[in-house]
Amino acid sequence: MSVMIRLVGAWIAFTLLAPISQAQGLNQLPARPKNIIIMIGDGMGPAYTSAYRFYRDEPASEEVEETVFNRLLVGNASTFPAKVSGYVTDSAAAATALATGVKTYNGAISVDSNQQPLTTLFEQAKQRGMATGIAVTSQINHATPAAFLSHNPSRKNYDELAESYLQAGADVLLGGGLRYFPDALRAQFAAQGYQVLVSMDDLDKVNQGKVLGLFADVQLPWALDEPDGQRLSKMTAKALALLSQHSQGFVLLVEGSLIDWAGHNNDIAALLGEMHEFANAIEVAEQFVRQHPETLLVVTADHDTGGLTLGRDGLYQWDPSLLRALSMTPASLAQRLIAFQSSPELSWRDELASLWPTPLTAAQFTQLSNARMQGQQALERAINKLIDSQTHTGWTSVGHTGVDVQVFATGAGANVFNGHQDNTDIAIKLNSLLPVTAAKNPQ
C-alpha cells in the first residue's frame, strides 16, 4: 500500500470519527492543531520512565510522586524496521518511520529500502508554509534529526548530511556538531540569513529570524555534569519562542539524544540525568501547549536501548538513593581519578572517597584500583558496574532491543494517539493533522 493511500485512509478515518463521537456523546476529537511539537527520547524504553519515577520520588513521602511521563501517557508503539533488518531497529530507520510513515533498513536516512527519497513531515510542513526547527543534545546531523531534514543512504555520511541542511530550509537548528560545520559551511548558512552561534550564551540575544546554533564539537555536555545548564530546556524554549512568530504555524522536533548514549554505555547515572533534563524540556513544551491550546505535543521514543531492568540477581529491590547523591557522571569521575596526582596529603582513593556518596569496602577499592591501571574506559566501566551492584540495576545489552515504546501526548489532536500503534502510524497521524492545503504564500 502506498504512503499516499495510507495517509488518505488515515485522514478519512480522522474526519469521520469526530461526528460519530459527537453523535454518541463521546469525547469529540480536538480541532486540527496549528503547531506540532514532536519530542523523542532516544533509546527511552519503558523501564527508563519507571526508573525516572523512582529516581525523582521523595523518599520521606508515603506515595510515589507523579512525573510528566505519568501525566501524559496515552499509548505505546512498535518500533521494528523493514524486514530486511529484522525486528530490532536503529535510530535512523526508526526516525525515518517517525518522519515519513515508511519502514526502511537500519542506517537509512529517509530513503526507502531501494534508497529512494521519502517525503518527510518537515517537507510536508514547509509546503504548507509552516516553519520547522530542531533542538537536540547530539550533533544536529545525527540520525534522528537528519531523518526529518534530509535524505541519505547512510546515517554515517555526517559531512553530506551537514551540507544538505542548506537546502532543508529549517528555521531553527540547535544542538551540537560544530566539527561537521567548518567555517566555509557556516558562512553559507550566514549568507542564507541564519544567525550562526557557537555559544549558548549568545542564544539569549536572538529574538527573531533563522538561527543555526552549534554549541559543542559533537554532543552537548552530560546533564549530570552540568546540573544548572538545562541546555535542552533552554533550546526548546528558544525554539518555541522563535517558531511561534510564524503565522502559518510550525513543526518542532526536540530530541533527548544522550539518553540513548547513556543506555549504550549501561550508565544508569548519566541516563537519569539526561531523563531529568528531557522531562524538564517536556514541561517547557507542555506549558507552551497550555498557553497555546492550538498546539499538539507528542512525545515518544525511537526504540529501547540496553534492556534496562530495575532489580536483579533474584532480589526484589531497586535502590536509587546512590543515584540521587551522585554529583557527576561515571565518565567524568573516571577522568578525574585518572588525572589525579598523588601527594603526601591525598591519594586518588581519598579523592574517590570524598566524592562517592557511600562508604566503599576494601574489595571495591581493589576492583577500582585494578581498573584504573587499565585506563579511563576500564575505570568508567568498573564504576558503572559498582553503581549497578549497589542500586540493583540490570542490563541485557549494550545495543538496542525490540520492545515497544511509550507514547505521550497532549493538546489539539492528542487523542488520535491513544492506544497501540506502529511508529509509522505516528507519522501518518501527524501528517493527517497538517493543514489540508498548502499556503498561497509560503514563508
Side-chain angles (χ1 to χ4, degrees), residues 351-427:
E351 180 78 351
L352 174 60
S354 70
L355 296 170
W356 198 259
T358 60
L360 293 170
T361 66
Q364 290 168 337
F365 269 119
T366 298
Q367 290 173 350
L368 295 177
S369 179
N370 291 338
R372 183 174 180 270
M373 289 188 290
Q374 298 174 47
Q376 183 173 325
Q377 288 186 342
L379 180 55
E380 181 182 343
R381 288 194 297 269
I383 293 170
N384 280 327
K385 289 182 178 180
L386 178 59
I387 293 172
D388 291 343
S389 175
Q390 292 192 353
T391 60
H392 310 293
T393 298
W395 304 89
T396 66
S397 175
V398 293
H400 298 174
T401 77
V403 302
D404 293 352
V405 296
Q406 297 164 306
V407 178
F408 314 84
T410 189
N415 58 348
V416 175
F417 300 89
N418 291 353
H420 177 75
Q421 58 225 291
D422 187 64
N423 54 7
T424 56
D425 295 325
I426 295 175

Side-chain angles (χ1 to χ4, degrees), residues 116-163:
Q116 296 302 304
L118 298 164
T119 303
T120 69
L121 177 67
F122 274 27
E123 289 169 333
Q124 295 274 14
K126 295 300 285 187
Q127 290 174 9
R128 289 160 172 77
M130 303 174 75
T132 58
I134 64 166
V136 303
T137 52
S138 66
Q139 59 265 44
I140 64 170
N141 52 335
H142 205 243
T144 300
F148 284 82
L149 289 165
S150 189
H151 309 273
N152 201 285
S154 174
R155 60 180 291 176
K156 296 180 181 179
N157 295 328
Y158 289 121
D159 294 332
E160 291 179 12
L161 291 169
E163 292 174 4

